[in-house]
């Protein structure tokens, strides 16, 4: 209240000063204008009276003055005629007896033989007196005075001040009303909500945060308070979960446990993650800049770790507005836990390193999906150059860090471990290969296989999703380069350096939110879905994901079991990826065409078998689809792990839902209760859909519960914890920094 009064007081004062100042100026201007007008009129009248009376005074005739007075005198204009001594010869009756006050003015006009003028009160009224000398042979022989009524000047001024006062009053009322509403709406209510939310959090109730307060109004204060409360909520939940797990003697990995584990194992040694894809890109949309989270399993997996442990994440700044936002930023923006360091690369470098060597060479090489890899010498040069650039940036970031921990990610950075280790032997370097590693023969077609293997073996630890991929890698090393593979310990020894090769099946963060029922109904209503069953698929449009195969299976399902038409709808969330590569563009067309023809041939006005949603969806949107869907299809032709499968399972908080999963994914080795399919076998996949919709609900529940328990237990914190534990176990030779 006191704030409101102070604010209103300031507004009133400002309004008073502005409108008072303007009114004063207006009055002053008006007065000057009217006075000048009066003076002009008085001078004209005085000249006319002078002309008419000059001859009469010169001749000394006593009559004739009345005519002059009658001719020029008016109700608001009195006339007086004087002789050479300043004695009144004749004057208008209303002033005749009261001319005393103007005598000095008239005398001055006669003596100086010049017109004079002044305001004077004559007979109780303010008048402008203009006196002109009457002359004969240029000598003064008397004077004529014209007295114009000036009373209205003051009345007009008063009137103006009165109107100003009314205007000021109305303005005050409006300013007060509007200010009160705005303050209540944008300040008092949001602050009350934040205060109430903070109070509830303090009392330990896990309530959703209020909508973000207007940051432009509160500056960083409201944002800081909000994020502080959020941090507090997270810390409380983590502490409560820890306490609960201690009580039940559970050894589940949590964000908090990972944080403490990393602290114990590595002390203050900072963590550096290197990946091609950045966790957040900034995109220019019209005149504003928006934050985008990429459709990347790698980001889904690593972000919770960075949130838990902090550190620096080095990645390619690929957003259209990244340079505007900055090279080094704290993330998340409203409550920074780690630093994103962006690396800039040219279009030419991106074409060779990312689109070319990484995605037209290594990607099809490692995924056995009958897509011929393209190896171009130019791409290889760019790949080497960009690896060196990232290594340089990383070394710059690590300059002051003692024995830093480096977690390099994926097939984009096969050469980076060696480059970093050579410059910083004290660093612990791990690289995780998120895609499959093929057998020796398949890998052998890569012209630069030795360089790639040597680059990777620069690391202390090389991780894959499965033991199978580790074995493929070790066999490739054994048969390609010089070095000793120790099959007992799964290590490679080259000279003084030993590299450990281990499987770490990647996972997702547990998802324990419970709002499923309402969410499901809302999403179905939004999509206009009325069918009994809703299936979902979430993919980048990539030839490894088996999208055309999936749609063929859906078509076959509706053909073989037509009684399920209008009873099942499938939603495909598709995000476009690597569209500069012709093979990806061709696939995008193929997928759209497949959806179109199925919908045209099988659908009708009230039902479309497939709803195809081709745009970027952020994580919270995708989660709604997971929670609304009765089943999810993952039909990759080859996949290192596939985190969509695990995310879908994690999101089924009521254990209702079924997963159809390709046997060629890493996930199929863990999620054994999924409906495992061969994506190349259309009949098999169609039958799996039928199995799902006809399954006994109890069986479906228990399958999902077992999978969910598994994902909860082997979650992303566990993945990072095991990787960190392995890295910490590796003996560190006491080497000087090179
Ligand atoms: O599977 C390897 C991977 O790097 C994943 O981490 C991620 O889902 C995908 O490829 C992302 O591809 P891109 O960054 O090329 O869009």
């Amino acid at each position: 209240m006191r704030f409101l009064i102070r604010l209103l007081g300031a507004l009133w004062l400002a309004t008073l000063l502005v409108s008072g100042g303007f009114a004063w100026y207006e009055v002053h201007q008006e007065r000057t204008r009217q006075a000048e007008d009066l003076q002009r009129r008085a001078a004209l009248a005085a000249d006319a009276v002078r002309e008419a009376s000059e001859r009469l005074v010169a001749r000394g005739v006593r009559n004739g003055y009345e005519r002059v007075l009658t001719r020029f005198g008016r109700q608001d204009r009195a006339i007086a005629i004087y002789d050479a001594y300043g004695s009144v010869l004749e004057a208008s009756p209303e002033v005749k007896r009261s001319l005393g006050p103007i005598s000095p003015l008239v005398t001055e006009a006669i003596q100086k033989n010049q017109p004079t003028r002044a305001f004077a009160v004559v007979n109780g009224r303010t008048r402008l007196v203009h006196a002109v000398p009457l002359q004969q042979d240029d000598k003064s022989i008397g004077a004529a005075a014209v007295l114009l009524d000036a009373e209205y000047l003051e009345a007009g001024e008063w009137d103006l001040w009165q109107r100003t006062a009314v205007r000021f009053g109305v303005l005050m009322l409006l300013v007060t009303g509007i200010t009160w509403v705005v303050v209540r709406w944008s300040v008092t209510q949001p602050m009350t909500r934040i205060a109430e939310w903070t109070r509830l959090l303090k009392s330990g109730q896990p309530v959703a945060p209020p909508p973000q307060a207007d940051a432009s109004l509160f500056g960083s204060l409201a944002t800081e308070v909000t994020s502080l409360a959020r941090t507090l909520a997270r810390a409380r939940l983590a502490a409560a979960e820890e306490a609960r797990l201690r009580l039940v003697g559970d050894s589940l990995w949590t964000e908090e446990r990972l944080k403490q584990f990393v602290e114990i194992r590595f002390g203050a040694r900072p963590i550096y993650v290197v990946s091609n894809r950045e966790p957040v890109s900034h995109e220019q949309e019209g005149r504003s800049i928006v934050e985008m989270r990429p459709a990347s399993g790698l980001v889904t997996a690593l972000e919770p770790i960075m949130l838990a442990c902090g550190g620096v994440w080095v990645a390619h700044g690929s957003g259209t507005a990244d340079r505007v936002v900055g090279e080094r930023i704290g993330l998340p923006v409203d409550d920074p836990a780690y630093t994103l360091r962006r690396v800039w690369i040219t279009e030419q470098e991106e074409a060779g390193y990312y689109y070319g060597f990484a995605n037209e060479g290594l990607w099809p090489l490692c995924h056995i999906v009958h897509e011929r890899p393209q190896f171009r010498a130019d791409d290889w040069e760019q790949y080497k150059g960009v690896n060196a650039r990232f290594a340089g940036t990383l070394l710059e970031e690590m300059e002051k860090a003692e024995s830093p921990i480096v977690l390099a990610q994926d097939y984009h950075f096969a050469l980076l471990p060696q480059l970093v280790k050579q410059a910083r032997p004290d660093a612990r370097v791990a690289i995780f290969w998120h895609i499959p590693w093929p057998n020796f023969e398949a890998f052998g077609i890569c012209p630069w296989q030795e360089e790639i293997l040597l680059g990777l073996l620069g690391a202390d630890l090389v991780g894959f999703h499965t033991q199978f991929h580790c074995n493929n890698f070790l066999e490739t090393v054994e048969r390609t380069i010089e070095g000793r593979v120790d099959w007992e310990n799964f290590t490679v020894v080259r000279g003084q350096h030993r590299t450990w090769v281990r499987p770490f099946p990647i996972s997702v963060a547990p998802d324990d939110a419970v709002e499923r029922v309402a969410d499901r109904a809302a999403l179905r209503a939004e999509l206009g879905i009325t069918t009994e069953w809703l299936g979902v698929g979430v993919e980048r449009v990539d030839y490894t994901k088996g999208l055309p195969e999936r749609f063929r299976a859906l078509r076959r399902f509706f053909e073989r079991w037509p009684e399920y038409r209008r009873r099942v709808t499938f939603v495909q969330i598709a995000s476009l990826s690597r569209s500069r590569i012709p093979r990806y563009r061709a696939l995008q067309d193929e997928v759209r065409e497949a959806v179109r023809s199925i919908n045209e041939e099988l659908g009708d006005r009230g039902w479309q078998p497939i709803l195809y949603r081709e745009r970027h969806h952020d994580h919270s949107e995708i989660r709604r689809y997971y929670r609304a869907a009765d089943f999810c299809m993952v039909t990759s032709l080859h996949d290192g792990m596939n985190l969509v499968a695990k995310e879908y399972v994690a999101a089924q908080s009521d254990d209702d839902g079924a997963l159809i999963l390709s046997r060629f994914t890493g996930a199929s080795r863990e999620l054994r209760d999924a409906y495992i399919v061969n994506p190349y076998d259309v009949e098999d996949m169609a039958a799996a859909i039928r199995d799902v919709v006809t399954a006994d609900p109890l069986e479906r529940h228990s399958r999902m519960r077992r999978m969910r328990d598994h994902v909860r237990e082997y979650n992303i914190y566990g993945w990072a914890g095991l990787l960190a534990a392995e890295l910490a176990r590796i003996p560190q030779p006491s080497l000087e920094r090179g």
Side-chain angles (χ1 to χ4, degrees):
M1 198 62 181
R2 239 187 292 159
F3 161 72
L4 187 63
I5 291 172
R6 272 204 300 266
L7 181 66
L8 282 175
L11 288 173
W12 285 340
L13 186 65
T15 318
L16 184 66
L17 286 176
V18 171
S19 50
F22 273 107
W24 177 86
Y25 180 73
E26 226 180 296
V27 165
H28 178 74
Q29 289 291 96
E30 184 61 13
R31 191 183 190 160
T32 312
R33 191 189 63 74
Q34 288 190 346
E36 278 170 7
D37 181 55
L38 205 64
Q39 281 160 13
R40 195 177 38 78
R41 283 195 287 124
L44 284 175
D47 277 350
V49 173
R50 180 176 54 75
E51 259 179 46
S53 54
E54 213 161 36
R55 241 175 304 137
L56 297 175
V57 176
R59 273 195 261 127
V61 279
R62 293 216 57 91
N63 51 2
Y65 295 123
E66 286 82 8
R67 269 208 317 279
V68 175
L69 295 186
T70 317
R71 192 167 148 208
F72 295 106
R74 275 193 342 222
Q75 203 183 350
D76 62 341
R77 184 163 71 196
I79 311 287
I81 300 169
Y82 293 84
D83 64 11
Y85 306 103
S87 306
V88 180
L89 294 172
E90 192 54 87
S92 303
E94 68 270 25
V95 296
K96 197 166 181 175
R97 291 180 205 294
S98 328
L99 289 172
I102 69 166
S103 297
L105 192 74
V106 173
T107 310
E108 191 187 334
I110 295 168
Q111 282 172 357
K112 292 191 176 163
N113 197 10
Q114 270 175 10
T116 55
R117 91 179 155 232
F119 283 96
V121 177
V122 179
N123 195 15
R125 293 183 77 81
T126 305
R127 296 165 203 259
L128 174 71
V129 181
H130 190 98
V132 285
L134 303 177
Q135 297 170 328
Q136 187 176 36
D137 301 331
D138 288 339
K139 284 204 184 97
S140 170
I141 54 167
V146 171
L147 296 86
L148 291 186
D149 196 311
E151 200 69 5
Y152 72 93
L153 289 187
E154 271 174 25
E157 242 175 64
W158 174 237
D159 199 40
L160 199 72
W161 281 116
Q162 265 179 331
R163 269 186 285 132
T164 302
V166 171
R167 225 184 303 155
F168 178 74
V170 172
L171 209 59
M172 285 297 85
L173 279 178
L174 271 177
V175 167
T176 307
I178 292 172
T179 308
W180 186 80
V181 171
V182 170
V183 166
R184 227 180 121 69
W185 191 29
S186 328
V187 183
T188 322
Q189 281 179 356
M191 287 310 258
T192 312
R193 277 203 296 268
I194 291 176
E196 174 63 6
W197 179 57
T198 318
R199 194 185 63 71
L200 288 173
L201 281 178
K202 252 184 8 202
S203 69
Q205 296 178 42
V207 280
Q212 196 82 359
D214 181 356
S216 65
L217 178 64
F218 293 104
S220 51
L221 176 68
T223 320
E224 283 300 317
V225 171
T226 308
S227 75
L228 193 70
R230 279 200 185 114
T231 311
L232 179 69
R234 269 216 307 268
R236 281 192 97 109
L237 284 177
E241 180 67 359
E242 283 302 306
R244 192 186 68 74
L245 293 174
R246 265 198 301 279
L247 277 181
V248 294
D250 203 331
S251 60
L252 207 63
W253 279 94
T254 60
E255 184 181 345
E256 189 56 31
R257 183 170 162 207
L258 175 65
K259 199 184 215 152
Q260 300 203 352
F261 180 82
V262 169
E263 256 170 44
I264 291 167
R265 288 297 158 103
F266 296 117
R269 291 161 68 182
I271 292 182
Y272 296 86
V273 164
V274 187
S275 73
N276 171 68
R277 192 57 68 196
E278 53 183 342
V280 168
S281 68
H282 288 95
E283 306 294 337
Q284 192 74 48
E285 278 189 7
R287 296 172 77 187
S288 48
I289 293 177
V290 292
E291 247 187 51
M292 285 265 278
R293 305 195 151 260
S296 160
L298 180 152
V299 170
T300 311
L302 285 176
E303 173 125 78
I305 298 166
M306 293 306 274
L307 289 175
C309 306
V312 180
W313 187 331
V314 179
H316 170 208
S318 56
T320 48
D322 278 0
R323 283 174 198 263
V324 181
V325 176
E327 188 174 65
R328 263 182 133 259
I329 55 170
L331 287 178
V333 175
D334 59 352
D335 185 16
Y338 67 93
T339 303
L340 167 63
R341 168 68 200 269
R342 286 172 167 151
V343 179
W344 315 117
I345 61 175
T346 63
E347 260 193 49
Q348 198 190 356
E349 285 171 329
E350 191 181 15
Y353 137 82
Y354 172 76
Y355 289 107
F357 193 72
N359 285 316
E360 284 193 288
L362 290 178
W363 181 266
L365 178 74
C366 292
H367 291 92
I368 314 289
V369 291
H370 315 292
E371 182 66 31
R372 179 184 287 206
Q374 307 286 326
F375 293 115
R376 290 178 286 256
D378 277 359
D379 292 349
W380 171 241
E381 287 308 314
Q382 300 292 1
Y383 186 84
K384 285 197 290 187
V386 173
N387 267 249
R389 172 92 49 80
F390 270 75
T393 306
L394 178 64
L395 291 168
E396 188 186 307
E397 284 290 325
M398 303 192 315
E399 182 74 53
K400 297 203 174 72
E402 276 297 312
S403 309
I405 316 292
V406 176
L407 304 179
Q409 306 297 317
D410 236 347
Y411 58 101
H412 309 91
F413 296 114
L415 307 180
L416 183 133
Q418 190 186 30
L419 296 172
V420 172
K421 199 70 184 178
Q422 270 167 0
R424 289 290 302 265
D426 64 320
R428 291 264 168 111
V429 180
I431 181 158
F432 190 80
W433 196 261
H434 288 255
I435 59 177
W437 189 277
N439 59 38
F440 154 71
E441 286 81 7
F443 194 77
I445 66 169
C446 175
W448 300 285
Q449 53 178 322
E450 281 187 29
E451 286 94 326
I452 289 175
L453 291 174
L454 292 177
L456 286 168
L457 290 174
D460 298 299
L461 179 63
V462 178
F464 294 95
H465 291 299
T466 65
Q467 184 62 50
F468 181 67
H469 295 147
C470 293
N471 294 350
N472 279 351
F473 177 74
L474 287 170
E475 197 194 343
T476 312
V477 170
E478 192 166 52
R479 298 174 65 173
T480 311
I481 55 168
E482 275 190 27
R484 188 167 58 83
V485 173
D486 173 356
W487 283 98
E488 220 157 278
N489 292 303
F490 295 102
T491 60
V492 179
V493 185
R494 292 193 71 258
Q496 296 295 305
H497 185 65
R498 184 184 288 268
T499 304
W500 272 253
V501 180
R502 291 281 183 277
F504 301 100
I506 204 163
S507 194
V508 294
D511 180 352
D512 289 325
V514 286
E515 74 279 13
R516 180 164 179 169
V517 179
D519 230 30
R520 178 195 292 242
L523 185 75
R524 281 172 183 247
E526 269 168 45
L527 297 173
I529 294 176
T530 50
T531 49
E532 249 167 273
W533 298 89
L534 174 62
V536 72
V538 178
E539 264 90 17
R540 285 183 308 108
V541 181
D542 191 299
Y543 51 79
T544 60
K545 302 294 178 186
L547 287 167
E549 287 77 1
R550 178 181 312 171
F551 297 142
R552 277 200 282 280
L554 280 159
R555 175 198 282 272
R556 188 71 191 116
F557 164 71
F558 289 119
E559 281 167 359
R560 268 175 78 181
W561 293 284
E563 65 274 24
Y564 284 102
R565 293 183 188 186
R566 283 172 225 88
R567 289 174 65 195
V568 178
T569 306
F570 190 82
V571 181
Q572 178 63 49
I573 307 285
S575 67
L576 298 186
S577 151
R578 307 173 188 172
S579 302
R580 277 172 57 174
I581 300 174
R583 176 68 182 94
Y584 281 78
R585 285 201 303 275
L587 178 73
Q588 289 162 12
D589 292 341
E590 185 186 345
V591 164
R592 287 180 202 124
E593 177 52 27
V595 173
R596 193 201 57 73
S597 76
I598 294 173
N599 283 343
E600 195 175 290
E601 285 164 38
L602 302 179
D604 54 36
R605 278 177 67 198
W607 171 70
Q608 295 279 281
I610 302 175
L611 297 185
Y612 186 61
R613 296 283 178 266
E614 189 191 86
R615 69 165 172 84
H616 176 81
H617 289 70
D618 68 29
H619 201 255
S620 59
E621 282 179 289
I622 293 174
R623 195 163 153 271
R624 290 185 72 210
Y625 282 92
Y626 287 150
R627 294 168 81 81
D630 301 293
F631 66 95
C632 174
M633 288 184 84
V634 173
T635 54
S636 309
L637 306 181
H638 200 187
D639 221 330
M641 173 53 69
N642 194 290
L643 289 183
V644 167
K646 290 190 173 178
E647 278 179 21
Y648 175 73
V649 167
Q652 307 309 300
S653 53
D654 55 2
D655 295 332
D656 201 4
L659 176 66
I660 296 174
L661 180 60
S662 159
R663 52 187 276 222
F664 304 122
T665 58
S668 69
R669 304 188 179 220
E670 294 176 66
L671 303 176
R672 299 196 181 268
D673 280 292
Y675 292 76
I676 303 291
V677 292
N678 173 358
Y680 291 96
D681 183 345
V682 173
E683 296 297 331
D684 181 37
M685 279 201 287
I689 302 172
R690 174 139 195 286
D691 289 348
V692 164
V693 295
T694 53
D696 169 27
L698 283 179
E699 190 208 322
R700 215 176 41 236
H701 261 77
S702 53
R703 287 173 83 139
M704 182 50 77
R705 196 179 47 251
R706 284 195 294 272
M707 288 196 286
R708 211 166 159 256
D709 285 349
H710 178 90
V711 173
R712 239 180 125 247
E713 189 173 344
Y714 298 97
N715 59 41
I716 187 61
Y717 304 115
W719 177 82
L722 293 182
L723 206 141
E726 199 63 53
L727 206 52
R729 243 197 312 273
I730 293 172
Q732 190 74 344
S734 51
L735 290 166
E736 291 302 310
R737 273 167 70 163

